[in-house]
Amino acid sequence: MSGDNSSLASALRVLPDRLPAGRPTLNDILSALGDRGLGLVLLIFSIPAIIPTPGIPAGMIFGSALALLGGQMVVGAKRVRLPSFIAQRRIGQEVLRQVFQRATPLIDKLERRLSIRLAGLVSPLAMRVIGGVIVVMALLIALPIPFGNTLPGLAILALSLGLARQDGIAVLVGMSLAVLASGVSVALLHGSLRLFDMIH
């Protein structure tokens, strides 16, 4: 599958070259993806939240964008859009290239394991539930919780893979990661607040 131009890994490889030079906006990324599907859009936006991106507040930017996209899934929007205050946020093209280059081998390996199964978990009704979970995970990504980005980001990544390839097993993995991420984030936030109280 990795050699297929329609594969997710291939889309990651070529995306930076389809963006305007310099510092493209989030809206430029959406435009470059065109009608490739919501799963791919979510995947693209989840990766910078997981992989360290020096020089930009990736958690806040991409977490906010993911929360808005997830909210549109909840209401059953046919085509996702970003409001201008988020859509016009700029990310360095070279930063995106480096991030996607690091992520592509993993996405390639995961994609090989995906197949169409448990279709009920990617039904229109299920999409609304998944959208709600993505909103919660995205808010956790956007919050300044120490080490709090990774698990919510991985949950959205698994959900996006499941949506992109109609794989209910991947959706189940994403939901499980979301439960784990919620528990860990609560524990991290509680620990941070206790540490803050002790210092002050």
Side-chain angles (χ1 to χ4, degrees), residues 19-20 28 34 37-38 68-69 76 98 106 109 125 132 152 161 163 168 190:
L19 298 174
D28 290 330
L38 179 59
L68 291 165
L69 296 174
Q98 292 174 7
L106 173 61
K109 290 178 182 178
L125 177 59
L161 289 173
L163 293 176
H190 179 68

Side-chain angles (χ1 to χ4, degrees), residues 96-165:
L96 286 175
R97 188 186 307 279
Q98 292 174 7
V99 169
F100 292 151
Q101 282 178 348
R102 291 177 62 184
T104 298
L106 173 61
I107 299 302
D108 198 9
K109 290 178 182 178
L110 292 174
E111 195 174 5
R112 293 173 185 272
R113 300 176 180 273
L114 301 177
S115 61
I116 298 175
R117 48 192 170 177
L118 299 182
L121 293 177
V122 289
S123 67
L125 177 59
M127 289 276 286
R128 293 174 183 260
V129 176
I130 292 170
V133 173
I134 287 174
V135 170
V136 175
M137 293 298 99
L139 291 175
L140 292 178
I141 290 171
L143 289 173
I145 302 174
F147 312 107
N149 282 16
T150 304
L151 277 175
L154 288 173
I156 295 178
L157 185 143
L159 291 170
S160 66
L161 289 173
L163 293 176
R165 291 299 179 223

Side-chain angles (χ1 to χ4, degrees), residues 181-195:
S182 298
V184 171
S185 295
V186 168
L188 287 172
L189 185 59
H190 179 68
S192 299
L193 292 174
R194 288 194 62 183
L195 180 60

